[in-house]
Amino acid sequence: MIRGWLADHDWRLALLSTGLAGLAFVTGQPVLASPLGESYQGITVGLLAMLCSCVGFALSLRSRAAAALGVRSGARYRLLWFVIQLLLVVAVAESVSGFALAPRRLVFVIGWGAGLSGLLALVSEGGSTLYGFLLFATCVLSPRGEPARWWAPLAHAPVGDAGVVAAAIVVLACGVLYVANPTRRAPF
Amino acid sequence: MRAQLRGRLVWLVTGLMLAAMATTLSLRDADWMGDALWGQETIGVAQVLVLPLLAGGAAVVGWRDVGGILTLIPAGRQRWRHFWATFGAWAIPVVALYAVGNLFVIVASWWSEPSIPNATPWPAITQTAGALLVFVVGYALGVVLRSWLGSVVAALLTAAVLILDRMGAISTGLAEYAASGTMLGAVANPAYFGMRLVWMVFVGALIVALLVTVPRRRTGLLVALGAALVAGQLTFPTDDSYGIRPKRADTCTATPVVVCAPPEFRDRAVRAAEMAGQTGAVLRALGVSSPSRFVMWQPGRDHLDNLRLVDPGTFRAPLTLQTVVAGVVAPLSCGLWSGPEPPPYSWFYSKALVESFVMSQLTARITEPYGRLLTAKGAEQSRALVTQAATALQECDLAKVPPSFSNQ
């Protein structure tokens, strides 16, 4: 399993995201570039860390390691794999926010960021790639000085419960689909 | 071409491009509305989202083709015909998308108040040409990389080029001007837009030629492509898309206070003249005279006595009394406002104080900081201080600001 993980793409993304998260924790949130201009949100180290982490999570569910678990191991190991990958995303999200992320925002970020891209990865790799791009797009599409909208999950602070509950359901659905219905298709 | 148009990918990608464009236009309550050129350049803002998506989609097409039909037609006329059909199938919705986007901002601005007729075909032409060039680049990357990874590489490369271009690190001619405020007074520079268009067509043609020719003939084309990229770097180091040239002569309102503005702002000028008259009357009651002639603020008129009849950040925001009062109590022809060194804090405090005094008189509601001064010093002394501050502002004389204002 470890060899499978190391032989695949996702460990590099996981390593990159944790490195970036550490950097974001130490340096704060310096803006690296403003793709849409100065009046829109820029790309920060923390945002890059979250994007890498979410995409890495999606890839990890389709990695050779995950495929090996699907063929040889029981559901318990797949659940363990899923939880470890999810915890990695949680750790990145927490470090990016200086370990001060509100629980509902954490669930929202994990659900609509990692959960949905993971779910899409299990169903269609093209859909997952596209969603990764859209995640990036939604982050930089928020005007500077205004709170991020609901469609920018990595930056949005939810007020109501509906989006948070739906995000939790997405994560659960992703977990159930992965654990109960292991993929035997060729990995990425 | 018809078979390609029946595919899902082209409609999925252009649908997402439309969604990204529409979202960008709708942000901040569509603050460009009324200023059609600003709207057109807001479509340019969406380039960083729209073009990587197109590049990714094109790379998928290239990847499919290189493992499919292109294996049967290694080079030559048939390959050219196939590419042309594919390009045509994608060009139709892409051209339609930009045409609809640009027409939408023009029509929406037409119905807005205020509205300025400053739309130009140039941004629409270069935006469309840029999108078609990106399609060609994405397709070529898909063909070269022969993998789904080509879509990621094409999207990231396009995003990186656009971001670095906007940051000024590189200059390719692909990135649009992308305005973040009003384009009032801005006039397109056809020579610059034309050069960008020629450059994009040239680079696109070279890449297409590389795709359809046999490998032994590609060296010369690669050299030409490299030369074109270098030429782009040298030709577009600064964005000269627009110059500031007021196109339309002002019309002026009648006395006692004259406000001159382009004809589209006639209604606002009349209302502003009325408000400026009321402000002048309050100042006269203090024994201070104020200017009786103003022009509407436009880029390049910062040194004249001007009134902001429109908010440069939200074009269709209503004209407010406070904006006019601010322009009358502190005439902008005073060199202190535009000098190399900013004036001291007491100067800004004087302006805020006189402004709040006039607003209090006109709206019968005490506003700050005049309210605080009134509480601290009493009515008579406050009035004397406001008079001194108003005189200093009107005469552009820093020495006449009450010395006690330095401690505020």
Side-chain angles (χ1 to χ4, degrees), chain B residues 279-320:
Chain B
T279 308
V282 174
L283 291 176
R284 265 197 309 281
L286 290 174
V288 180
S289 61
S290 58
S292 58
R293 189 180 178 87
F294 294 91
V295 292
M296 173 186 162
W297 172 84
Q298 288 188 61
R301 286 182 169 183
D302 295 317
H303 59 290
L304 302 174
D305 284 337
N306 65 67
L307 298 178
R308 288 199 177 222
L309 302 191
V310 285
D311 181 344
T314 311
F315 198 73
R316 63 203 160 102
L319 177 69
T320 62

Side-chain angles (χ1 to χ4, degrees), chain B residues 163-349:
Chain B
I163 291 170
L164 291 173
D165 202 333
R166 290 214 178 135
M167 287 169 69
I170 58 170
S171 43
T172 61
L174 187 64
E176 287 295 325
Y177 177 74
S180 59
T182 181
M183 297 292 285
L184 187 67
V187 176
N189 178 0
Y192 186 79
F193 275 103
M195 273 197 305
R196 280 183 55 214
L197 184 63
V198 168
W199 182 84
M200 285 191 269
V201 170
F202 186 59
V203 170
L206 285 173
I207 294 172
V208 173
L210 276 166
L211 285 170
V212 298
T213 50
V214 289
R216 66 175 184 279
R217 291 186 186 163
R218 286 179 191 161
T219 315
L221 291 170
L222 280 170
V223 171
L225 183 62
L229 294 176
V230 173
Q233 180 73 19
L234 299 173
T235 314
F236 312 112
T238 55
D239 196 330
D240 298 328
S241 300
Y242 296 97
I244 299 295
R245 279 192 300 278
K247 274 197 301 190
R248 294 161 72 88
D250 284 355
T251 60
C252 299
T253 60
T255 50
V257 176
V258 176
V259 177
C260 299
E264 301 83 38
F265 300 96
R266 175 78 190 170
D267 289 349
R268 287 191 175 219
V270 170
R271 274 184 283 144
E274 199 179 305
M275 294 174 189
Q278 292 167 358
T279 308
V282 174
L283 291 176
R284 265 197 309 281
L286 290 174
V288 180
S289 61
S290 58
S292 58
R293 189 180 178 87
F294 294 91
V295 292
M296 173 186 162
W297 172 84
Q298 288 188 61
R301 286 182 169 183
D302 295 317
H303 59 290
L304 302 174
D305 284 337
N306 65 67
L307 298 178
R308 288 199 177 222
L309 302 191
V310 285
D311 181 344
T314 311
F315 198 73
R316 63 203 160 102
L319 177 69
T320 62
L321 177 63
Q322 180 137 21
T323 315
V324 176
V325 169
V328 177
V329 300
L332 286 166
S333 57
C334 171
L336 282 168
W337 294 114
S338 50
E341 290 291 319
Y345 173 76
S346 58
W347 187 250
F348 291 100
Y349 178 75

Side-chain angles (χ1 to χ4, degrees), chain B residues 350-362:
Chain B
S350 299
K351 184 189 175 210
L353 181 70
V354 179
E355 205 178 302
S356 63
F357 172 79
V358 174
M359 287 299 289
S360 302
Q361 299 294 309
L362 293 179

Side-chain angles (χ1 to χ4, degrees), chain A residues 3 15 30 41 56 93 96 109 116-117 122 124 140 151 155 166 181:
Chain A
R3 262 184 306 178
L15 197 68
Q41 298 284 350
V96 162
V109 168
L116 189 55
S117 53
L122 292 172
S124 141
V140 296
W151 40 257
N181 186 24

Side-chain angles (χ1 to χ4, degrees), chain B residues 127-139:
Chain B
Q127 283 161 9
T128 310
L132 296 178
L133 173 62
V134 163
F135 174 82
V136 172
V137 171
Y139 184 88

Side-chain angles (χ1 to χ4, degrees), chain A residues 9 32-40 43 59 125 129-130 133-134 136-138 140-146 149 151 187-188, chain B residues 12 16 20 23-24 26-29 42 45-50 52-53 148-149 151-152 155 159 162-163 166-167 178-180:
Chain A
H9 294 299
L32 300 175
S34 298
L36 298 187
E38 293 303 317
S39 51
Y40 291 86
I43 303 172
L59 287 177
E125 61 255 42
T129 310
L130 193 62
F133 169 78
L134 288 178
F136 166 78
T138 57
V140 296
L141 202 52
S142 296
R144 190 163 284 181
E146 285 181 23
R149 315 285 167 88
W151 40 257
F188 279 124
Chain B
L12 175 69
L16 284 169
T23 310
T24 311
S26 69
L27 287 173
R28 285 206 190 90
D29 297 327
T42 306
V45 169
Q47 246 190 343
V48 177
L49 306 173
V50 164
L53 198 57
W148 66 270
L149 203 63
S151 65
V152 178
L162 288 168
I163 291 170
R166 290 214 178 135
M167 287 169 69
S180 59

